Amino acid sequence: MHRETISKDTAPGVTPNLADYDRARAEFTWSQARTALARLPDGGLNIAHEAVDRHAAAGLSDKVALTCVSRGDAVSTVTYGELTRRTARFANLLRSLGVGHGDRVFTLLGRCPELYTAVLGTLKNTSVLCPLFSAFGPDPVEQRLRLGDARVLVTTAALYRRKVADRRASLPGLEHVLIVGPGTEELVGTLSFDGLMSAAPDTFTIPPTSPEDMALLHFTSGTTGAPKGAVHVHEAVVAHYATAASALDLHPEDVYWCTADPGWVTGMSYGIIAPLVHGLTVVVDEGDYDARRWYRILGEQRVSVWYTAPTALRMLMRATPREGPYDLPRSYDLSALRFIASVGEPLNPEAVVWGRDVLGLPVHDNWWQTETGCIMIANFAACEIRPGSMGRPLPGVEATVLKQGEDGRAMVTDGRVTEVDSPDVEGELALRPGWPSMFRGYLHDNERYEASFADGWYLTGDLVRRDADGWYWFVGRADDVIKSAGHLIGPFEVESALMEHAAVAEAGVIGRPDPVAGNIVKAFVSLRPGIEATPDLQRDLLAFARRRLGPAVAPREIAFDQDLPKTRSGKVMRRLLRARELGLPTGDLSTLEGSS
Ligand code: ATP
Ligand code: MG
């Protein structure tokens, strides 16, 4: 692991000074955030009121809330005033359909302005919003609509035709399908979103909303098994607001871009809710990943804060290696950019340093889960970055490392757990429940929910180390960790070492059973463009890894695979690499990229 830090000398905008860091920690506590939000007149708390209406009421009606870049590069804007009216229309539309408090409204849409309208209008109506990823195939869509008790679906004609129409008969609870854009006429049993919107009144009084009312349903990424439906409530907005300030350094004057798909929790919490609650301008890109397009948007939209993911950064790294040339990023004016953060998977140290060299800013990694609803641990704005580390717990977050049992998870004896008290000892990451955006349950699976807690802690399923200064280092998911010849090996450490080799673009590491060692480490590696997979390169990579990691941890086998299996949110699916390698059943593949 890299133990170097990135200080102010090498990274503009990063303060290495711990006094500042502690000051930042002392700010933005949950209670301060709670006080800063404007309650509904009856004292209730509603996410959509915080994200939209209160800004319009405070004189920000003309400020641009959304800058939308279409696939064809047309740019359009939506002000806070307009968003207030559109979301009011949508809330009225739902009400006119008899859809009310607690009813489930699903979206199956790409990033488009109508998505923002549907999400926030649903929350205004105190119905529950569940976003689906638009690239899901018919099976995962049906599975989630059924599991989540969908009553309304907002989608487009093309997506409906391809993914839902055939299954409609088996989803009797799905009463209303609203089609955004043209095409309703040819589709039996659907309604026109645009038609109903224009007929609906553009003012709406948000009904009393309790902070504990269910607001969002999010399915997990399905990296470790079948996706789980995590339930979140309106109070989560307190955490979105506070953590966007402390971990992402959001300020009202920022132009902010979150590249996560709105079908995942990041795209919702930090793509829609948090930035709007901060009253800033959000860039909404309808297009797909493309290095040139992304650099262009960063430059032309004057993006100042950018929240992305390791998989996206690795794609940019392929297009613009650290060794240069930097022509592509340099052909755009990126001078407004002042803060970059990443989430979703471990961020290889190489990517942090790449950011510093190529974009002039290091990347701030942070850690959280669908279940936590907000960023929990971060290399946050005012603290130094330790490349390869997830950072430190945010203000108000109490984290610990629990001693492991045989299975790699926290050891629970007579209902009690033991905290690791020395630095750098591996164990399961646990969090003290009670933060505002904590999930309130897994839908229809209370047993699983209860099993996530022990002795007053929420058990995350992730293994970490905490260094002597309190920075957390990701080791792996408990399910992915490899036991080899008496060592516990985190796949991330091995993958990061391989990625430092000039030929390697990405890596996925698993344990393969071995009669002597228990398991041996096997790596699957994809190569940078133009590099040929040869036995010489294989030998070179093995030797390179052995020099970096030592023989106990280095992979014993390396295979080339230009098409590493990933979840649709971009995480390497090690369980699938392992299942394929061992000829085991592949399990739930609903979130596998490229599947349908
Ligand atoms: P499932 O729970 O269905 O298996 P998932 O855990 O991938 O899927 P998410 O809630 O989307 O679903 O992802 C959270 C997980 O992603 C974390 O538990 C952790 O394993 C990983 N993760 C997120 N951010 C980071 C990070 N910065 N460093 C390392 N791992 C991270
Ligand atoms: Mg998980």
Side-chain angles (χ1 to χ4, degrees), residues 112-278:
C112 59
E114 289 83 0
L115 173 80
Y116 285 72
T117 303
V119 167
L120 296 161
T122 298
L123 296 173
K124 275 192 172 176
N125 193 43
T126 70
S127 304
V128 175
L129 193 282
C130 180
L132 295 179
F133 188 34
S134 58
F136 275 147
D139 285 348
V141 168
E142 182 186 346
Q143 183 191 15
R144 285 163 181 75
L145 289 170
R146 187 189 312 286
L147 234 149
D149 311 310
R151 226 185 130 192
V152 180
L153 172 68
V154 186
T155 186
T156 62
L159 290 169
Y160 181 73
R161 214 176 276 121
R162 284 209 305 273
K163 307 181 184 218
V164 188
D166 288 359
R167 318 290 173 109
R168 186 79 184 270
S170 66
L171 293 164
L174 181 59
E175 284 173 53
H176 309 289
V177 173
L178 301 171
I179 300 292
V180 173
T184 322
E185 310 73 44
E186 299 107 68
L187 296 170
V188 181
T190 66
L191 299 165
S192 159
F193 174 92
D194 306 310
L196 290 173
M197 279 288 283
S198 54
D202 68 359
T203 57
F204 183 85
T205 304
I206 298 178
T209 316
S210 153
E212 284 303 312
D213 281 349
M214 183 171 169
L216 301 163
L217 175 66
H218 276 299
F219 288 96
T220 60
S221 295
T223 313
T224 52
K228 303 160 284 233
V231 171
H232 290 281
V233 298
H234 279 271
E235 203 200 7
V237 70
V238 173
H240 298 146
Y241 180 64
T243 56
S246 55
L248 302 180
D249 201 29
L250 290 194
H251 287 79
E253 59 276 15
D254 279 314
V255 174
Y256 168 81
W257 183 23
C258 169
T259 62
D261 190 274
W264 307 114
V265 71
T266 307
M268 176 63 64
S269 304
Y270 296 98
I272 300 180
I273 299 171
L276 293 177
V277 174
H278 277 273

